[in-house]
Amino acid sequence: MDKTREISVADFSLTNLPDDYYEDPYLYYRALREQAPIHRFADGSYLFTRHADLARIYRNPKVFSSDKKKMFKPLFGDTLLYEHHTTSLVFNDPPLHTHVRKAIGDALSQKTLVAMEPGLRKLTIGLLDKIEAEGEFDVISDYAVLVPVDVIGNLLRIPHEDRGVLQRWASAILGALEFDLSKEKRDYGNRCVKEFLDYLTALVEDRRKNLSDDHDDILSRLIKWEADGFVLSDKQLYHQCIFILNAGHETTTNLIGHSVYCLQTHPRQLQLLKENPELIDSAIEEILRYEAPVQLGNRLTTEEVQFDDVTIPAETILTFAIGAANRDPAMYPNPDRLDITRHPRNHMAFGGGIHTCAGLNVARLEARVTIPALFNRFPKLKITGEPVRDKRARFRGILSLPMSTH
Ligand code: HEM
């Protein structure tokens, strides 16, 4: 039976999601795409689920603004979470966005990636040695979490001993973007922004004292950035750092976690990859399409727009479902099938347009190194317990996945 027929999306709301949504949001996305592709929420905002509509939104940053002041003021009030989420480049339009993007520049270029790879391989081998010694392990906490923290820590040259706390801060600050935010979570998110700011104030002061032309890490670049009379204020600088540190690890942890889980639960696909290791790049793109770590995005209309027969006024908040666009049959035949030979063109896991993920090749490299290394090292790898899913709508990931190497 077609389960989507049973789902009525007339009252679908992101603030009141059914329990089974977190297990399989794709059933709901499909029902939305089929029954209400331009779905109006009770508060007058809209949800989009078709690939073509998302492509249009991404292509027109002037009409579909990333500025989040209107959206976040009622959620966060006059707080540090508001200051953070409205100052970072991802939630701003040009000119701030353009400057920060340029400042990051080739800190995430191919040259940086090539330089990064040997260290990443060494780190991976060290983690696999520990896993081998244990035999039983959790692939999320013992592997998928540890690689991105190290990589993003290196990119900003964060001292090794300070990296442990980054994941807690990131999870609380990004978690505050969820739709059903409780007062406790909001307060905790604000505390984490404060701790992060205090930490960065000291770090930046120290970095400024010891800045040299040799330093090409992202933090030094942002400190040194000056163009057309524009320099980042301290506040702007700190919030870009917080965003980049947060953006760079939780999402990649979830890509690594999904990759292990998807391949392990699709043994024919895993076998195909083992027999054809050159399929790794296509496999990673397909897993990104199939289980996008960032599921939802937002924009604000700056003028009246028309989608089909729906007229949407200026100043309307739009939510769009990347997870739905990535499974749109108009774009990907048989979209609910994981097929590592697919080479999924124009999937939206990294967004699109001027805000396309600046770290996409870093994330790809991390997956390309860690996934084959794990499966090659442990041919008898198996899942030994139930995966624990993160109950969040905006970010999708696995919190815990017990495994054994034998
Ligand atoms: C699998 C891992 C990742 C996924 C799925 C992902 C996804 C995304 C998405 C969807 C956006 C666009 C948001 C929007 O338009 O509203 C974005 C932006 C961004 N990401 Fe990633 N990301 C990943 C890894 C990384 C890494 C490793 C870094 C840094 C090293 C990073 C840095 C950024 C930055 C700086 C932006 C803002 C770009 C801009 O506004 O111009 N991301 N990411």
Side-chain angles (χ1 to χ4, degrees):
M1 185 173 20
D2 181 357
K3 272 171 84 181
T4 48
R5 295 237 178 91
E6 294 167 30
I7 297 175
S8 164
V9 293
D11 299 325
F12 182 83
S13 158
L14 287 166
T15 49
N16 184 20
L17 287 164
D19 269 352
D20 61 351
Y21 174 90
Y22 301 100
E23 197 49 50
D24 189 358
Y26 307 106
L27 272 180
Y28 289 86
Y29 291 157
R30 183 168 152 199
L32 281 158
R33 237 183 6 246
E34 289 172 359
Q35 298 170 35
I38 302 151
H39 174 73
R40 191 175 187 280
F41 290 121
D43 65 0
S45 67
Y46 284 85
L47 174 66
F48 291 80
T49 42
R50 291 185 303 211
H51 190 282
D53 291 336
L54 269 73
R56 175 176 163 199
I57 293 169
Y58 279 135
R59 266 197 312 272
N60 294 289
K62 280 199 179 128
V63 179
F64 303 105
S65 161
S66 287
D67 189 312
K68 297 291 185 289
K69 291 180 197 70
K70 175 174 171 166
M71 182 172 164
F72 289 159
K73 195 75 194 193
L75 289 178
F76 299 138
D78 215 356
T79 61
L80 285 175
L81 273 172
Y82 177 77
E83 180 180 291
H84 170 64
H85 285 306
T86 54
T87 309
S88 69
L89 80 158
V90 73
F91 295 149
N92 268 282
D93 297 324
L96 177 67
H97 171 261
T98 319
H99 278 291
V100 180
R101 228 16 237 230
K102 279 193 193 152
I104 296 172
D106 52 8
L108 296 173
S109 70
Q110 200 52 39
K111 195 174 123 217
T112 313
L113 295 189
V114 169
M116 187 192 282
E117 191 166 334
L120 178 57
R121 290 201 180 275
K122 198 166 151 216
L123 170 76
T124 303
I125 291 169
L127 294 175
L128 293 175
D129 288 346
K130 278 197 200 136
I131 289 172
E132 183 164 17
E134 295 290 322
E136 312 286 325
F137 68 109
D138 190 309
V139 75
I140 307 301
S141 55
D142 297 329
Y143 199 54
V145 165
L146 302 177
V147 173
V149 170
D150 199 68
V151 167
I152 197 70
N154 288 344
L155 281 170
L156 279 101
R157 227 156 37 87
I158 302 286
H160 278 274
E161 61 276 18
D162 299 344
R163 294 181 188 179
V165 68
L166 294 178
Q167 193 209 351
R168 180 169 67 77
W169 285 339
S171 172
I173 296 168
L174 291 178
L177 296 173
E178 286 301 321
F179 296 86
D180 52 352
L181 188 65
S182 64
K183 184 179 175 311
E184 289 70 36
K185 283 190 182 160
R186 192 175 52 222
D187 291 348
Y188 184 57
N190 275 312
R191 274 209 309 282
C192 287
V193 181
K194 170 85 176 69
E195 286 172 26
F196 217 147
L197 285 171
D198 289 346
Y199 172 73
L200 284 170
T201 307
L203 185 75
V204 168
E205 198 183 305
D206 182 64
R207 189 69 51 94
R208 278 207 171 104
K209 278 192 215 139
N210 300 300
L211 212 55
S212 89
D213 287 345
D214 301 342
H215 292 145
D216 206 28
D217 60 90
I218 296 179
L219 178 53
S220 302
R221 278 172 164 270
L222 290 171
I223 292 174
K224 286 190 273 188
W225 178 255
E226 193 185 343
D228 308 328
F230 181 95
V231 283
L232 287 165
S233 67
D234 281 356
K235 194 173 88 178
Q236 285 170 334
L237 171 69
Y238 301 149
H239 288 300
Q240 308 317 316
C241 292
I242 293 180
F243 173 73
I244 295 166
L245 281 163
N246 290 349
H249 66 73
E250 190 162 341
T251 46
T252 316
T253 292
N254 291 340
L255 168 60
I256 297 172
H258 283 146
S259 300
V260 176
Y261 185 66
C262 284
L263 289 167
Q264 196 68 36
T265 51
H266 293 77
R268 286 175 60 186
Q269 299 292 313
L270 178 59
Q271 191 56 31
L272 197 61
L273 181 60
K274 284 184 173 171
E275 286 163 11
N276 304 276
E278 72 284 359
L279 281 177
I280 185 65
D281 290 335
S282 174
I284 293 165
E285 296 313 303
E286 173 66 350
I287 290 159
L288 282 162
R289 179 194 73 81
Y290 189 78
E291 286 280 34
V294 180
Q295 289 274 313
L296 300 169
N298 293 97
R299 295 293 188 266
L300 184 76
T301 56
T302 59
E303 58 185 57
E304 185 180 284
V305 289
Q306 188 79 26
F307 281 86
D308 295 351
D309 56 354
V310 182
T311 306
I312 299 177
E315 299 270 302
T316 304
I317 293 170
L318 310 183
T319 300
F320 49 83
I322 292 171
N326 279 356
R327 294 205 187 194
D328 186 340
M331 197 63 196
Y332 309 105
N334 207 352
D336 296 323
R337 180 166 182 271
L338 182 82
D339 173 3
I340 65 162
T341 65
R342 189 191 290 267
H343 298 279
R345 202 169 47 84
N346 297 338
H347 73 70
M348 289 169 164
F350 291 120
I354 63 168
H355 289 279
T356 298
C357 177
L360 78 184
N361 286 326
V362 176
R364 285 173 170 144
L365 176 67
E366 290 179 52
R368 200 186 310 128
V369 168
T370 54
I371 300 309
L374 178 76
F375 284 109
N376 291 340
R377 176 86 168 253
F378 306 121
K380 294 187 180 157
L381 198 65
K382 52 179 179 291
I383 295 175
T384 53
E386 283 300 307
V388 179
R389 271 228 169 260
D390 209 354
K391 279 205 160 190
R392 295 191 297 172
R394 194 178 286 282
F395 299 101
R396 182 160 175 81
I398 299 172
L399 287 177
S400 159
L401 182 62
M403 298 193 84
S404 138
T405 58
H406 47 81

